Amino acid sequence: MKVFIAVEANNGFASAAESLSISAPAATRAVSALETTLNTKLFHRTTRRIRLTEAGRLYLVEAKRLLEDLKALEAKVTGAHLAPAGEINVTAPILFGERYITPIIAKFLVDFPQVSVNAYMYDHIIDLIEHNIDVAIRIGKPKDSSLYATTVGYVGRVTCTTPQYLANNHPIHTPEDLKHHSIVYPTSFNEPAVWTYHKEGKAQAIKVKPRYQCNQNRSAIEAVKHGFGVTRCMSYQVADELASGELVSVLTDYEDAILPIQAVSLEGRYNQEKVKQFIGYVKEALGNNEYLNARN
């Protein structure tokens, strides 16, 4: 297994053998024996190069994880402290990842020189197994009960605008007042323009008529910051603007209940030292942010 991983990492048998202090024929025999045991090819081989087969890609992911688990087990049995090491694949929503997770990653990398991180920022949920993700930062409770989830903070929705816009336009006291305003609507363009509010346990769906629709929250927020209309987004997306007074929130009595921010991982990966440590860093950093830890 170690030889197989080394061959992939070094793009060849000769360089892999050198890194492991064994002969090239020995490396070739080891991988061939592994393929025989698995009854499948792990590499496509030509005279000039090698590349992983589909089975090889799947095996590589699990082989790396198994070796890391073995190291952790050996350290636990011997009582040795095992510092985080290796590669961590992290995913998060784009704006949340840029504003809050990237600084955490930077600190983690400084504190643990043996770790490297691959970050994937998407506003849609990706499959953890298919994309080999160790930690996914998600807003809301996971629908998959097989995932291990750690709550690292809380956020809510906020309807907001600038103080200047609010002073020069119709007051906003209830959701119905939004019909008098220019609406900036972040959307995927395949959903109805509806904002749902809640008060005293009752839901109130308001169909809005956007004057500006865009598929990125950042663009919607920037439009409002420049004096145009009202938008609705997650509280973390405008935390800095609300704190500075650049934006103000309205309809706070009608907003939904708070949503948990969760660090999600596959159950087997949560026990890896690097994953546990990283989630701990995320929880500590977000827990110290008042805009990401308010429960009301």
Side-chain angles (χ1 to χ4, degrees), residues 38-291:
L38 297 174
N39 194 30
T40 189
K41 286 289 185 182
L42 299 175
F43 289 107
H44 293 297
R45 299 170 175 83
T46 68
T47 55
R48 294 185 177 182
R49 58 172 294 191
I50 63 169
R51 61 185 177 87
L52 289 170
T53 63
E54 181 62 29
R57 283 192 290 270
L58 293 173
Y59 188 78
L60 179 66
V61 170
E62 293 305 315
K64 287 182 176 179
R65 182 183 65 80
L66 286 172
L67 286 181
E68 289 179 356
D69 288 347
L70 180 59
K71 287 182 181 179
L73 176 60
E74 291 172 346
K76 185 176 182 179
V77 170
T78 60
H81 173 70
L82 188 63
E87 189 175 84
I88 304 179
N89 294 323
V90 178
T91 185
I94 295 173
L95 194 52
F96 191 88
E98 291 175 351
R99 288 192 175 187
Y100 302 107
I101 301 303
T102 297
I104 296 171
I105 290 173
K107 185 178 188 306
F108 192 77
L109 292 172
V110 169
D111 290 349
F112 299 106
Q114 299 303 313
V115 172
S116 61
V117 174
N118 300 316
Y120 304 89
M121 308 300 183
Y122 300 110
D123 280 335
H124 60 272
I125 292 177
I126 61 175
D127 185 272
L128 272 61
I129 296 176
E130 181 181 351
H131 293 84
N132 190 26
I133 298 298
D134 296 300
V135 181
I137 306 300
R138 292 178 176 171
I139 309 298
K141 296 180 180 179
K143 297 179 180 179
D144 188 343
S145 60
S146 68
L147 299 177
Y148 191 98
T150 301
T151 300
V152 294
Y154 297 88
V155 293
R157 291 183 176 85
V158 59
T159 307
C160 58
T161 185
T162 62
Q164 295 79 9
Y165 177 90
L166 197 59
N168 295 325
N169 288 275
H170 191 283
I172 305 176
H173 298 304
T174 68
E176 290 87 351
D177 291 327
L178 292 172
K179 67 183 179 181
H180 301 293
H181 292 270
S182 297
I183 300 299
V184 179
Y185 195 78
T187 177
S188 59
F189 292 100
N190 60 356
E191 59 185 23
V194 175
W195 285 343
T196 301
Y197 293 90
H198 294 81
K199 189 173 185 180
E200 297 177 352
K202 296 181 180 179
Q204 184 176 6
I206 300 297
K207 187 174 182 180
V208 295
K209 295 182 178 180
R211 288 195 60 205
Y212 176 42
Q213 296 188 75
C214 54
N215 68 340
Q216 288 293 331
N217 288 300
R218 186 186 296 106
S219 179
I221 293 166
E222 284 300 316
V224 170
K225 285 166 61 176
H226 281 78
F228 181 78
V230 180
T231 194
R232 194 180 191 217
C233 54
M234 301 303 296
S235 57
Y236 73 82
Q237 296 169 336
V238 289
D240 294 340
E241 290 83 355
L242 291 173
S244 68
E246 184 177 10
L247 295 178
V248 293
S249 59
V250 296
L251 301 177
T252 54
D253 291 340
Y254 292 86
E255 290 296 357
D256 302 342
I258 55 98
L259 296 171
I261 306 168
Q262 299 201 310
V264 177
S265 59
L266 297 168
E267 187 173 359
R269 299 197 183 188
Y270 175 78
N271 292 322
Q272 295 178 6
E273 187 64 23
K274 62 182 182 181
V275 172
K276 288 194 292 185
Q277 288 273 15
F278 181 75
I279 291 176
Y281 267 56
V282 173
K283 187 172 184 178
E284 180 180 5
L286 300 190
N288 291 329
N289 187 315
E290 63 176 307
Y291 289 99

Side-chain angles (χ1 to χ4, degrees), residues 3 7 11-18 23-24 27-28 31-32 43 45 50:
V3 176
V7 170
N11 296 311
F13 287 90
S15 53
E18 183 178 353
S23 68
T28 301
V31 172
S32 295
F43 289 107
R45 299 170 175 83
I50 63 169

